[in-house]
Amino acid sequence: MLFGRRTKNPIQLPVKAVDKWVYTTCGYCSTGCSLDVGLDDKGAAITTRGVADADVNRGKLCLKGIYEFEVFRSLNRGRVPLIRKTRSDPFTETTWDETLNKTASEIQRIQGLYGRDSFAIVSTGQIYTEEFYTLGKLVRAVIGTNNYDGNTTLCMASAVSGYKRSFGSDGPPGCYDDFDQTNCLLAIGSNLPEQHPIIYYRLKEAYDRRHFPIIVVDPRVTLFAQMADIHLPVKPGTDLVLLNALAHVILTEGLADQNYIQAHTSGFEDFKKLVEAYNPEMAEKICGIPAKMIRKVARIYAEAGAAMTIWTMGINQSTHGSDGVVAINNLNLITGNIGKPGGTSLSITGQCNAMGTREFSSCSGLPGYRTLEKEEDRQFMADYWGVEASFFPQKRGMAETDIFPAIERGEIKGLWLIATNPMTSMPDTARIRKSFEQLEFLVVQDAYSDVETNEYAHVFFPASLWGEKEGVFTNTERRVNLVRKVMDPPGEAKPDLWIFTEMAKRFERGKEMTFSTTATEVFEEIKTLSKGRLCDYSEMSHDKIEKQRGIQWPCNTEHPKGNRRLYETGVFQHADGRAKLIPLPFVDNNECPDKEYPFWLNSGRLVEQWHTRTKTGKIGNLNKFSPTPFMEMNPRAAAKLGIAAMDYVRVHSRRDSAVVLVQLTERVAPDAVFIPMHYFNCINRLALGLLDPYSRQPAYKQSAVRIECLEDQEAAARENVAMRNY
Ligand SMILES: Nc1nc2c(c(=O)[nH]1)N[C@H]1C(S)=C(S)[C@@H](COP(=O)(O)OP(=O)(O)OC[C@H]3O[C@@H](n4cnc5c(=O)[nH]c(N)nc54)[C@H](O)[C@@H]3O)O[C@H]1N2
Ligand SMILES: Nc1nc2c(c(=O)[nH]1)N[C@H]1C(S)=C(S)[C@@H](COP(=O)(O)OP(=O)(O)OC[C@H]3O[C@@H](n4cnc5c(=O)[nH]c(N)nc54)[C@H](O)[C@@H]3O)O[C@H]1N2
Ligand code: SF4
Ligand SMILES: [Mo]
C-alpha cells in the first residue's frame, strides 16, 4: 500500500540559479544567525541560506532570515536626500551637499543660540559597530551634545543597568552553549520561540537530549509557556516579588551556596534581611503564584547544580525593570550560578546590534565600557582622539525617554534621528507628536523614506541598509559577527558611516581630527582602544570573524579564539572584585486595572513582524500573517461584553483610543488583553510607559484599558485599516 504524498504531486521548490554566495549575519534579531545571501549572475539577491558550520544557527534560519534577501527590493526605500523649509511644505529632492550643509549649520545655529545640549541625537541598535563608534566620536568629540542616546533605552537599558549594579559592568556573562550544560532553565518575560526562534532551537535541541526542567514566567500562555514543564502566570509587573520569594526559600531552607557568597559577593546581610519579609505566602498575595509552587521552583533551581535564567522584555520593560534584573542576578549569585557552564544570568538581547551600541557607541559614556564619570576614562579617550578632555561632560546626559519631555518643555530645539522610528515605537503617541511639532529642526536618517517620523522632518538622509555595507554586529552571547557587502544601495543612499564622516567635515573641530572612512580602518581603532577592557576585541579582524563564523569577546592574546563566559574566576568589575547582593523592596507603582479601565494591556511581538514594520510590512511572505492591528482577548471576557471573534472594538486608555480586530484566545487571562507593538497609531496611543527610575526604560507591558463595542463595524473596519501603514 502507498501512503501519503507518494501518490500525489510532491511540492516542488524552484531551483534558483545562484552564481555567488556572500557571507553576512542576519540584520533582524540579536540571535546573530550567520546567513549567506545568494546572488544570480546579474548580481540580484535571489535567496538566503543558513550557514551550516556557524555555531549559532547550525544551518537554520527563521522565516525573517529566510526572506531577508527580499529587503533589497522592498518598496519606498530612500533614494535621494530630501529637504524642505517647514513641515507643511512638500519635500524636494536635492544633493547630499545641500542636506549635510543645512544640517550642520542648523546644529551650529541651535547650539549657538540655546547651548550645546539643546540639540539631541537619538540612534538605534541596528547599525554596525563601526558606525556606532564613528557616531559616538562625532557626537562626543565634535558636536559635543550630551543629550545623545539610542532606542536601546526602550529595550535593553534595564539589563545594562542591572548588570552594572550587580557586577560592576555591562556584559552578559553566559552563552547559548549553557543550554547544553544546564540542569534547569528559568525564563522570565521572554517569548523565545517567536522572538528568538533560533536561540529557541538551540535550547530545544539541548532539552530534547536531556530534558532538564524549563520554567516560564509570563502572564500570557505564550508558545514558550506551552512547551515549558512549569508555567508561572505571574500578575503583571510583580516578578520582583516572585524573585525575592525564591531567594527567601533558598536562604531559609539552607539551599544557598554559602562558599560562593562568602568568596565572591558583598552585601549578603542586608540582602538576607530584606528577603526575610518575602515569604511565599506573602508573595502569593501580590504575584498570584501559589506559595507551594514558589517553594517547589526554588528547590528545583537551587538543587539543580547548574541553573540559568534568561529574560527579555517582560522584565526590562517594567517600572522595576532594573530591579528585576538585579533580582535575577541575586538569585544566581546566592546559588553560585554565575560564570560556570550552565549557570548564568543571560539577558536575551533585542536588536541585531543592541550589544554593539552598548560596547562602542558612547551613548551612555565612552567607548569600550568607559564612563564619562571617570576622569581616567575621559583622559584616555581625549588622548586617543586628540581632543581636550575638558570638552567631555562629566556625567551622562538625558535618555531618549527624557529627551522627548525636554523637547516638550522647549529645552531641546533640534533632533537627529538615526535608524529609529519613535512616532510608532515610543509610548503615548499624542505626546510624541506634540514634541515633534515643537522642534525647530528635525533630521531623519533612515533606509526608508516612508518611515512615520519623516512626516515631521526638515531633512531626510537616505541610508544604506544591512547588506549594502560592511561591518559587525554583536549578538546576545557577546559574539561579534560580520556582514559583508552584498550589493550597492539604491539611488544615492549612503552608508551611515559615510554620513557621519561627511558631517564631521562640516565642523571646525571635525576638520582637525581624523575620521577613518572604511569599516576595516574603523575596526582597527576599536580593536586598539578595546585592548585590556572587558569587551576586548584586540585579536579580532573582519576576515578572522568570517572564518570563525563569529567570535565571542573577550578575544585577546589569552583567548585568541574568544571566550564563552565572563566571570569564570568569580572576580567582578566592582572595585573590590566582588558582585553585589542588593536588597530590593517592591513598590507597587503601575497603572493597574480598576472599575473604569478593567483590563491589563500587555504588548509585544509576533514572529513574522519586525518592530514598526518598515522592513517586514513590505515583505509579502511575512506581512500576510498579520497585516492588520488586532488584539488577543479571552473568550470568557469577550462573551460578558457581547464581543464575538473578528469584531472590531475600540480600546480606550487614559491617553487615547484605537480600533482593533478581536482574536479570541485562552492565551490571555480574562482580565488582560494583548496587542502587538508593530502597528502605527495603535498600541502606543494607549500605552502609558511609566519609567524605571534607574534605566529610564518605559513599562510598555502594563497599562489599564477598557473596551467599547462598536455598532458600525464598517466604519470601524475603515478606521482599523487606516492604522496600518502598508
Ligand atoms: N519576530 C520578532 N522578533 C524580535 C523582534 C521583533 O520585532 N519581531 N524584536 C527584537 C527585540 S528589539 C526585542 S527587545 C526582543 C523582545 O523579545 P521578547 O521580550 O521575548 O518579546 P515581547 O513579545 O516584547 O515580550 C515578551 C513577553 O513578556 C511578557 N510579559 C508582559 N508583562 C510581563 C510581566 O509583567 N512579567 C513577565 N514575566 N512577563 C511579561 C509578554 O506577555 C510577552 O510574552 O525581540 C527581538 N526579536
Ligand atoms: N508598545 C510597545 N512599544 C515598544 C515595544 C514594546 O514591546 N511594546 N518595544 C520597544 C523596543 S524593545 C524596541 S527595540 C523599539 C524599536 O523601535 P524602533 O527603533 O523605532 O523600531 P524599528 O522599526 O526597528 O526602527 C528602526 C528604523 O531603522 C531603519 N533602518 C534599518 N536599518 C537601517 C540602517 O542600516 N541605517 C539606517 N539609517 N536606518 C536603518 C528602519 O527602516 C526603521 O525605520 O520599540 C519599542 N516600543
Ligand atoms: S532568529 Fe533572528 S537572527 Fe536568526 S534568522 Fe531569525 S531574525 Fe535572523
Ligand atoms: Mo528591543
Side-chain angles (χ1 to χ4, degrees):
M1 214 160 92
L2 284 172
F3 288 99
R5 283 283 164 80
R6 274 221 261 164
T7 54
K8 297 182 184 162
N9 291 335
I11 296 167
Q12 294 261 327
L13 288 176
V15 179
K16 292 187 172 174
V18 173
D19 188 52
K20 189 177 148 198
W21 293 99
V22 185
Y23 182 84
T24 70
T25 303
C26 178
Y28 287 110
C29 87
S30 68
T31 302
C33 296
S34 290
L35 167 159
D36 286 330
V37 181
L39 302 174
D40 68 10
D41 55 1
K42 293 182 194 72
I46 51 169
T47 189
T48 51
R49 67 177 183 197
V51 175
D53 60 350
D55 189 51
V56 167
N57 52 313
R58 304 172 180 180
K60 296 270 190 300
L61 294 174
C62 82
L63 77 173
K64 289 182 296 305
I66 289 172
Y67 291 112
E68 201 155 6
F69 66 98
E70 294 192 6
V71 299
F72 295 117
R73 49 172 188 254
S74 50
L75 290 175
N76 301 348
R77 286 292 307 278
R79 296 169 165 273
V80 188
L82 304 172
I83 197 162
R84 60 182 167 189
K85 265 220 166 67
T86 72
R87 271 185 299 270
S88 37
D89 298 322
F91 273 122
T92 47
E93 295 190 350
T94 179
T95 59
W96 274 107
D97 257 341
E98 191 186 351
T99 46
L100 285 162
N101 290 342
K102 172 73 182 174
T103 303
S105 74
E106 279 296 296
I107 296 174
Q108 285 152 14
R109 180 187 70 80
I110 288 171
Q111 288 190 316
L113 262 178
Y114 310 106
R116 257 163 63 178
D117 293 340
S118 63
F119 191 90
I121 298 172
V122 175
S123 86
T124 183
Q126 299 175 52
I127 57 176
Y128 300 147
T129 304
E130 294 86 344
E131 299 179 320
F132 278 130
Y133 168 75
T134 306
L135 173 63
K137 186 167 163 181
L138 172 69
V139 177
R140 291 288 177 212
V142 176
I143 297 176
T145 173
N146 199 15
N147 292 325
Y148 163 49
D149 194 35
N151 68 359
T152 38
T153 288
L154 315 180
C155 181
M156 301 315 302
S158 296
V160 173
S161 135
Y163 276 140
K164 284 183 180 165
R165 289 165 70 199
S166 298
F167 304 148
S169 170
D170 186 17
C175 59
Y176 307 156
D177 188 55
D178 285 320
F179 302 144
D180 295 312
Q181 320 274 342
T182 197
N183 297 319
C184 176
L185 183 125
L186 175 63
I188 314 184
S190 154
N191 187 14
L192 210 60
E194 288 204 65
Q195 270 55 264
H196 303 87
I198 302 299
I199 303 185
Y200 175 70
Y201 149 74
R202 288 285 305 271
L203 171 65
K204 189 73 171 46
E205 262 200 337
Y207 178 78
D208 288 345
R209 270 198 297 273
R210 294 189 300 110
H211 231 94
F212 48 86
I214 294 183
I215 303 149
V216 169
V217 185
D218 196 310
R220 196 167 152 246
V221 190
T222 56
L223 290 182
F224 205 5
Q226 287 173 43
M227 73 77 74
D229 298 283
I230 297 177
H231 172 218
L232 305 180
V234 69
K235 187 182 150 203
T238 63
D239 300 84
L240 179 58
V241 176
L242 173 65
L243 285 157
N244 277 343
L246 292 175
H248 173 100
V249 176
I250 290 167
L251 293 181
T252 50
E253 297 193 2
L255 303 173
D257 184 340
Q258 287 298 342
N259 290 340
Y260 193 89
I261 294 171
Q262 278 188 6
H264 303 298
T265 71
S266 64
F268 179 67
E269 288 308 321
D270 287 345
F271 171 70
K272 192 173 149 205
K273 208 179 279 158
L274 179 109
V275 297
E276 264 163 23
Y278 287 79
N279 63 63
E281 282 69 23
M282 172 267 204
E284 173 176 349
K285 289 195 190 105
I286 304 175
C287 73
I289 306 300
K292 223 171 118 186
M293 185 57 95
I294 296 176
R295 289 205 168 83
K296 182 172 167 176
V297 169
R299 289 171 196 148
I300 295 175
Y301 201 86
E303 289 169 351
M308 65 188 286
T309 311
I310 62 170
W311 75 92
T312 321
M313 291 307 123
I315 286 283
N316 288 358
Q317 289 173 348
S318 148
T319 50
H320 355 83
S322 173
D323 280 357
V325 174
V326 173
I328 289 168
N329 296 336
N330 285 341
L331 174 69
N332 287 318
L333 288 167
I334 61 167
T335 52
N337 276 308
I338 295 291
K340 82 174 182 205
T344 195
S345 282
L346 183 62
S347 140
I348 305 291
T349 326
Q351 302 161 85
C352 51
N353 205 19
M355 283 289 293
T357 179
R358 284 150 69 173
E359 294 156 13
F360 290 104
S361 76
S362 311
C363 258
S364 59
L366 291 165
Y369 290 158
R370 291 180 176 84
T371 68
L372 287 162
E373 288 76 8
K374 278 198 192 140
E375 196 192 339
E376 61 193 271
D377 287 352
R378 293 196 303 272
Q379 195 58 55
F380 178 91
M381 285 315 302
D383 294 343
Y384 192 78
W385 284 335
V387 298
E388 63 289 12
S390 58
F391 190 68
F392 298 144
Q394 298 190 8
K395 66 180 214 282
R396 103 168 258 197
M398 290 182 199
E400 175 174 6
T401 43
D402 292 313
I403 286 174
F404 279 92
I407 297 171
E408 245 184 290
R409 293 193 303 269
E411 287 166 30
I412 289 175
K413 304 284 190 186
L415 177 65
W416 183 4
L417 289 176
I418 298 145
T420 187
N421 184 12
M423 257 322 281
T424 307
S425 58
M426 282 281 287
D428 203 348
T429 310
R431 276 188 75 177
I432 298 298
R433 175 174 286 117
K434 201 172 125 206
S435 310
F436 275 124
E437 285 169 355
Q438 240 154 296
L439 285 171
E440 289 184 15
F441 184 75
L442 172 68
V443 49
V444 167
Q445 176 168 329
D446 203 284
Y448 292 89
S449 57
D450 63 357
V451 61
E452 285 84 22
T453 36
N454 214 10
E455 199 183 321
Y456 302 91
H458 299 85
V459 163
F460 172 73
F461 290 156
S464 305
L465 193 63
W466 162 89
E468 294 168 350
K469 50 188 181 178
E470 180 166 312
V472 299
F473 293 146
T474 310
N475 77 352
T476 290
E477 55 168 2
R478 307 181 328 277
R479 187 185 296 270
V480 180
N481 210 340
L482 181 69
V483 184
R484 294 275 186 209
K485 184 175 168 184
V486 179
M487 61 174 57
D488 288 325
E492 287 166 42
K494 294 282 187 195
D496 297 277
L497 179 63
W498 181 89
I499 301 170
F500 301 144
T501 55
E502 283 298 310
M503 188 63 81
K505 289 181 194 162
R506 286 158 171 85
F507 286 78
E508 281 312 312
R509 297 179 61 84
K511 284 183 198 150
E512 289 161 16
M513 289 174 61
T514 339
F515 274 80
S516 304
T517 53
T518 67
T520 39
E521 282 166 16
V522 179
F523 196 76
E524 285 305 313
E525 271 187 57
I526 293 175
K527 273 167 61 174
T528 314
L529 68 88
S530 75
K531 202 176 166 101
R533 307 294 300 175
L534 193 65
C535 51
D536 194 333
Y537 280 29
S538 55
E539 287 296 309
M540 291 187 201
S541 73
H542 279 194
D543 289 340
K544 186 171 164 187
I545 293 169
E546 176 174 349
K547 214 185 249 160
Q548 224 180 291
R549 275 60 174 113
I551 301 178
Q552 285 167 282
W553 59 253
C555 174
N556 45 27
T557 42
E558 194 189 335
H559 302 289
K561 293 189 142 185
N563 199 24
R564 289 197 164 137
R565 295 177 187 88
L566 302 179
Y567 312 128
E568 288 169 313
T569 56
V571 177
F572 292 88
Q573 295 284 306
H574 283 303
D576 61 359
R578 286 167 178 268
K580 286 198 168 111
L581 286 167
I582 302 172
L584 305 159
F586 173 74
V587 184
D588 192 356
N589 53 5
N590 269 315
E591 183 186 53
C592 296
D594 55 17
K595 262 207 168 116
E596 213 183 332
Y597 295 93
F599 291 92
W600 285 106
L601 172 65
N602 183 3
S603 71
R605 298 158 163 76
L606 305 168
V607 62
E608 66 277 8
Q609 295 288 7
W610 180 256
H611 293 166
T612 70
R613 292 163 71 244
T614 58
K615 288 161 88 178
T616 50
K618 290 158 191 143
I619 295 180
N621 276 318
L622 300 176
N623 196 44
K624 68 184 178 192
F625 296 109
S626 52
T628 212
F630 69 90
M631 174 175 85
E632 291 181 352
M633 187 177 190
N634 186 286
R636 288 166 282 157
K640 274 194 194 153
L641 294 177
I643 296 168
M646 300 297 280
D647 275 359
Y648 289 100
V649 295
R650 186 180 297 282
V651 185
H652 296 265
S653 75
R654 289 186 177 84
R655 272 68 57 195
D656 204 346
S657 72
V659 173
V660 291
L661 187 70
V662 172
Q663 214 177 66
L664 296 184
T665 168
E666 289 283 349
R667 275 182 121 183
V668 288
D671 66 346
V673 293
F674 176 88
I675 300 181
M677 66 157 291
H678 305 294
Y679 308 95
F680 171 56
N681 246 341
C682 189
I683 175 75
N684 282 329
R685 267 162 73 156
L686 309 170
L688 170 58
L690 288 172
L691 299 182
D692 177 279
Y694 294 93
S695 67
R696 313 304 289 159
Q697 181 158 349
Y700 283 111
K701 304 265 189 263
Q702 288 101 34
S703 323
V705 291
R706 71 183 160 86
I707 297 161
E708 181 196 356
C709 303
L710 298 171
E711 274 296 307
D712 188 346
Q713 286 286 307
E714 299 249 328
R718 280 194 297 276
E719 200 172 320
N720 177 265
V721 169
M723 290 185 333
R724 61 159 115 135
N725 25 7
Y726 312 112

